[in-house]
Amino acid sequence: QVQLVESGGGLAQPGGSLRLSCAASGSIFRLNVMGWYRQAPGKQRELVANLTSGGSTNYADSVKGRFTISRGNAKNTWYLQMNSLKPEDTAVYYCNADLLRADYWGLYNLKYNYWGQGTQVTVSS
């Protein structure tokens, strides 16, 4: 099995910064798409940003220019750098991955999607 674990959440003041980390571990796999989602109380879960293994990025309009998704130097890790935080950014943040796992012949062609457990981000004075 594959497990995703988020870290780096916490309390920040408006205008402050936080960096979230996601680490994928477990069965042998290859990442295709890495993502970050968030869910505020009483709201639907929404895409914040994602990143393909080829380097393409996609951001929600609400975070463009403030948040940056990137690959980590360590294998199977990625980050969400959050700058100029606003109270509206308060939510539980989840990392997500589309990945390939090896089949019987060792070929990475089995497609899966996994979610982390979430980390709380609170932006308040």
Side-chain angles (χ1 to χ4, degrees):
Q1 302 294 338
V2 174
Q3 184 179 19
L4 307 185
V5 179
E6 304 97 336
S7 62
L11 177 65
Q13 294 184 338
S17 298
L18 287 172
R19 189 184 72 164
L20 306 183
S21 300
C22 186
S25 62
S27 302
I28 297 173
F29 61 88
R30 293 180 178 176
L31 290 167
N32 279 353
V33 183
M34 296 138 281
W36 288 97
Y37 293 73
R38 67 186 181 187
Q39 188 167 23
K43 304 294 184 181
Q44 300 271 13
R45 187 173 300 186
E46 63 178 352
L47 173 70
V48 176
N50 60 29
L51 169 69
T52 71
S53 59
S56 298
T57 58
N58 182 50
Y59 295 93
D61 288 341
S62 59
V63 307
K64 286 181 179 177
R66 300 188 298 120
F67 292 8
T68 303
I69 186 171
S70 62
R71 295 290 297 273
N73 292 328
K75 197 75 173 180
N76 300 323
T77 62
W78 61 100
Y79 302 99
L80 184 68
Q81 179 66 47
M82 304 185 293
N83 298 326
S84 303
L85 283 164
K86 304 175 180 179
E88 306 92 272
D89 297 319
T90 296
V92 177
Y93 284 70
Y94 300 86
C95 62
N96 175 267
D98 290 334
L99 54 82
L100 302 175
R101 295 174 64 186
D103 62 13
Y104 178 80
W105 299 274
L107 302 176
Y108 294 91
N109 58 9
L110 301 179
K111 299 180 181 179
Y112 291 89
N113 183 269
Y114 290 92
W115 291 92
Q117 297 301 306
T119 184
Q120 177 69 46
V121 170
T122 302
V123 183
S124 175
S125 299

Short mmCIF file of all heavy atoms in Angstrom, two decimals, residues 14 16 22 25 27 30 47 50 52-54 57 64 70 73 76 78-81 90 96 100 104 107 119-120 122:
data_model
loop_
_atom_site.label_atom_id
_atom_site.label_comp_id
_atom_site.label_asym_id
_atom_site.label_seq_id
_atom_site.Cartn_x
_atom_site.Cartn_y
_atom_site.Cartn_z
N PRO A 14 -2.41 36.79 9.45
CA PRO A 14 -2.63 37.31 8.10
C PRO A 14 -1.37 37.96 7.56
O PRO A 14 -0.70 38.72 8.27
CB PRO A 14 -3.75 38.32 8.29
CG PRO A 14 -4.49 37.83 9.49
CD PRO A 14 -3.44 37.25 10.40
N GLY A 16 1.24 36.26 6.82
CA GLY A 16 2.33 35.36 7.14
C GLY A 16 2.47 34.24 6.14
O GLY A 16 1.80 34.19 5.10
N CYS A 22 4.41 17.04 1.93
CA CYS A 22 3.76 15.75 1.75
C CYS A 22 4.82 14.72 1.42
O CYS A 22 5.67 14.96 0.55
CB CYS A 22 2.71 15.80 0.65
SG CYS A 22 1.74 14.27 0.49
N SER A 25 4.97 7.18 0.81
CA SER A 25 5.80 6.02 1.13
C SER A 25 4.98 4.75 0.97
O SER A 25 3.76 4.78 0.87
CB SER A 25 6.35 6.11 2.55
OG SER A 25 5.30 6.13 3.50
N SER A 27 4.51 0.96 -1.01
CA SER A 27 4.80 0.13 -2.17
C SER A 27 5.57 0.91 -3.23
O SER A 27 5.49 2.13 -3.31
CB SER A 27 3.50 -0.41 -2.77
OG SER A 27 2.77 -1.16 -1.83
N ARG A 30 5.48 5.20 -8.97
CA ARG A 30 5.96 6.38 -9.66
C ARG A 30 4.86 7.44 -9.66
O ARG A 30 3.74 7.15 -10.06
CB ARG A 30 6.39 6.05 -11.08
CG ARG A 30 7.61 5.14 -11.16
CD ARG A 30 7.99 4.83 -12.59
NE ARG A 30 9.18 4.00 -12.68
CZ ARG A 30 9.68 3.52 -13.80
NH1 ARG A 30 9.08 3.77 -14.96
NH2 ARG A 30 10.77 2.77 -13.77
N LEU A 47 -9.71 22.01 -5.01
CA LEU A 47 -8.33 21.96 -5.46
C LEU A 47 -7.63 23.28 -5.16
O LEU A 47 -8.16 24.35 -5.45
CB LEU A 47 -8.27 21.69 -6.96
CG LEU A 47 -6.88 21.77 -7.60
CD1 LEU A 47 -6.02 20.60 -7.15
CD2 LEU A 47 -7.00 21.78 -9.12
N ASN A 50 -1.94 21.68 -8.21
CA ASN A 50 -1.35 20.39 -8.53
C ASN A 50 -0.16 20.56 -9.46
O ASN A 50 0.05 21.62 -10.05
CB ASN A 50 -2.38 19.38 -9.08
CG ASN A 50 -3.07 19.84 -10.35
OD1 ASN A 50 -2.52 20.60 -11.15
ND2 ASN A 50 -4.30 19.36 -10.55
N THR A 52 2.36 18.12 -12.19
CA THR A 52 2.61 16.87 -12.88
C THR A 52 4.09 16.51 -12.79
O THR A 52 4.95 17.36 -12.53
CB THR A 52 2.21 16.94 -14.36
OG1 THR A 52 3.12 17.80 -15.07
CG2 THR A 52 0.79 17.49 -14.51
N SER A 53 4.38 15.25 -13.03
CA SER A 53 5.77 14.81 -13.02
C SER A 53 6.60 15.51 -14.09
O SER A 53 7.82 15.59 -13.96
CB SER A 53 5.84 13.29 -13.21
OG SER A 53 5.25 12.90 -14.44
N GLY A 54 5.94 16.01 -15.13
CA GLY A 54 6.62 16.76 -16.17
C GLY A 54 6.87 18.21 -15.83
O GLY A 54 7.53 18.92 -16.60
N THR A 57 2.10 23.04 -13.71
CA THR A 57 1.39 23.39 -12.50
C THR A 57 0.02 23.97 -12.81
O THR A 57 -0.21 24.52 -13.89
CB THR A 57 2.18 24.41 -11.65
OG1 THR A 57 2.43 25.58 -12.43
CG2 THR A 57 3.50 23.81 -11.20
N LYS A 64 -3.46 32.03 -6.67
CA LYS A 64 -2.45 32.38 -7.66
C LYS A 64 -1.64 33.59 -7.20
O LYS A 64 -2.19 34.58 -6.74
CB LYS A 64 -3.10 32.67 -9.01
CG LYS A 64 -3.59 31.45 -9.74
CD LYS A 64 -4.22 31.81 -11.08
CE LYS A 64 -4.69 30.57 -11.81
NZ LYS A 64 -5.37 30.90 -13.09
N SER A 70 5.71 22.60 -5.38
CA SER A 70 7.02 22.22 -5.90
C SER A 70 7.39 20.81 -5.44
O SER A 70 6.86 20.30 -4.45
CB SER A 70 8.09 23.21 -5.46
OG SER A 70 8.22 23.23 -4.05
N ASN A 73 13.50 17.75 -2.79
CA ASN A 73 14.75 17.09 -3.15
C ASN A 73 14.72 15.61 -2.79
O ASN A 73 15.29 14.78 -3.50
CB ASN A 73 15.93 17.77 -2.46
CG ASN A 73 16.18 19.17 -2.99
OD1 ASN A 73 15.94 19.46 -4.16
ND2 ASN A 73 16.67 20.04 -2.12
N ASN A 76 9.85 11.35 -3.75
CA ASN A 76 8.43 11.21 -3.42
C ASN A 76 7.96 12.18 -2.35
O ASN A 76 7.19 11.82 -1.46
CB ASN A 76 8.13 9.76 -3.00
CG ASN A 76 8.45 8.77 -4.08
OD1 ASN A 76 8.25 9.04 -5.27
ND2 ASN A 76 8.95 7.61 -3.70
N TRP A 78 6.66 16.48 -1.89
CA TRP A 78 6.32 17.75 -2.52
C TRP A 78 5.80 18.71 -1.47
O TRP A 78 5.43 18.33 -0.37
CB TRP A 78 5.35 17.59 -3.69
CG TRP A 78 4.00 16.99 -3.38
CD1 TRP A 78 2.83 17.66 -3.20
CD2 TRP A 78 3.69 15.60 -3.27
NE1 TRP A 78 1.81 16.76 -2.98
CE2 TRP A 78 2.31 15.50 -3.02
CE3 TRP A 78 4.45 14.42 -3.36
CZ2 TRP A 78 1.67 14.27 -2.85
CZ3 TRP A 78 3.81 13.20 -3.20
CH2 TRP A 78 2.44 13.14 -2.95
N TYR A 79 5.78 20.01 -1.84
CA TYR A 79 5.51 21.07 -0.89
C TYR A 79 4.45 22.03 -1.41
O TYR A 79 4.21 22.14 -2.62
CB TYR A 79 6.79 21.87 -0.60
CG TYR A 79 7.92 21.04 -0.08
CD1 TYR A 79 8.93 20.60 -0.94
CD2 TYR A 79 8.00 20.69 1.26
CE1 TYR A 79 9.99 19.83 -0.46
CE2 TYR A 79 9.04 19.92 1.74
CZ TYR A 79 10.03 19.50 0.88
OH TYR A 79 11.07 18.74 1.36
N LEU A 80 3.84 22.73 -0.48
CA LEU A 80 3.00 23.87 -0.81
C LEU A 80 3.50 25.04 0.03
O LEU A 80 3.31 25.07 1.25
CB LEU A 80 1.53 23.59 -0.50
CG LEU A 80 0.57 24.71 -0.90
CD1 LEU A 80 0.50 24.84 -2.43
CD2 LEU A 80 -0.83 24.47 -0.32
N GLN A 81 4.17 25.98 -0.63
CA GLN A 81 4.61 27.20 0.03
C GLN A 81 3.48 28.21 -0.02
O GLN A 81 3.03 28.58 -1.10
CB GLN A 81 5.86 27.77 -0.65
CG GLN A 81 6.38 29.06 -0.04
CD GLN A 81 6.89 28.87 1.37
OE1 GLN A 81 7.63 27.93 1.63
NE2 GLN A 81 6.48 29.75 2.27
N THR A 90 -7.97 29.56 5.84
CA THR A 90 -8.15 28.63 6.94
C THR A 90 -8.94 27.41 6.48
O THR A 90 -10.05 27.53 5.96
CB THR A 90 -8.88 29.31 8.11
OG1 THR A 90 -8.07 30.37 8.62
CG2 THR A 90 -9.16 28.32 9.22
N ASN A 96 -2.53 14.98 -2.19
CA ASN A 96 -3.15 13.98 -3.05
C ASN A 96 -2.16 13.59 -4.13
O ASN A 96 -1.34 14.40 -4.55
CB ASN A 96 -4.43 14.56 -3.67
CG ASN A 96 -5.07 13.63 -4.67
OD1 ASN A 96 -4.80 13.70 -5.88
ND2 ASN A 96 -5.92 12.75 -4.18
N LEU A 100 1.44 5.54 -10.35
CA LEU A 100 1.47 4.24 -10.99
C LEU A 100 2.17 3.25 -10.08
O LEU A 100 3.20 3.56 -9.49
CB LEU A 100 2.21 4.32 -12.32
CG LEU A 100 1.66 5.29 -13.37
CD1 LEU A 100 2.58 5.33 -14.59
CD2 LEU A 100 0.25 4.89 -13.78
N TYR A 104 2.40 -7.26 -12.22
CA TYR A 104 3.06 -8.55 -12.03
C TYR A 104 4.42 -8.61 -12.74
O TYR A 104 5.35 -9.29 -12.26
CB TYR A 104 2.15 -9.67 -12.53
CG TYR A 104 2.74 -11.06 -12.43
CD1 TYR A 104 2.74 -11.75 -11.22
CD2 TYR A 104 3.30 -11.68 -13.54
CE1 TYR A 104 3.27 -13.02 -11.13
CE2 TYR A 104 3.82 -12.96 -13.46
CZ TYR A 104 3.80 -13.62 -12.25
OH TYR A 104 4.32 -14.89 -12.16
N LEU A 107 6.04 -3.61 -14.44
CA LEU A 107 5.78 -2.44 -15.26
C LEU A 107 4.85 -1.49 -14.52
O LEU A 107 3.82 -1.90 -13.98
CB LEU A 107 5.15 -2.85 -16.59
CG LEU A 107 5.98 -3.83 -17.43
CD1 LEU A 107 5.22 -4.22 -18.68
CD2 LEU A 107 7.33 -3.23 -17.80
N THR A 119 -3.98 18.26 7.31
CA THR A 119 -3.32 19.06 8.33
C THR A 119 -4.02 20.41 8.43
O THR A 119 -4.37 21.02 7.41
CB THR A 119 -1.81 19.23 8.03
OG1 THR A 119 -1.18 19.94 9.09
CG2 THR A 119 -1.58 19.99 6.72
N GLN A 120 -4.27 20.86 9.65
CA GLN A 120 -5.02 22.09 9.87
C GLN A 120 -4.15 23.31 9.64
O GLN A 120 -3.04 23.41 10.15
CB GLN A 120 -5.58 22.12 11.30
CG GLN A 120 -6.34 23.40 11.65
CD GLN A 120 -7.64 23.54 10.92
OE1 GLN A 120 -8.42 22.58 10.85
NE2 GLN A 120 -7.90 24.72 10.35
N THR A 122 -4.63 27.42 10.12
CA THR A 122 -5.48 28.48 10.67
C THR A 122 -4.77 29.81 10.50
O THR A 122 -3.63 29.96 10.92
CB THR A 122 -5.79 28.23 12.15
OG1 THR A 122 -6.44 26.97 12.30
CG2 THR A 122 -6.70 29.33 12.69
#
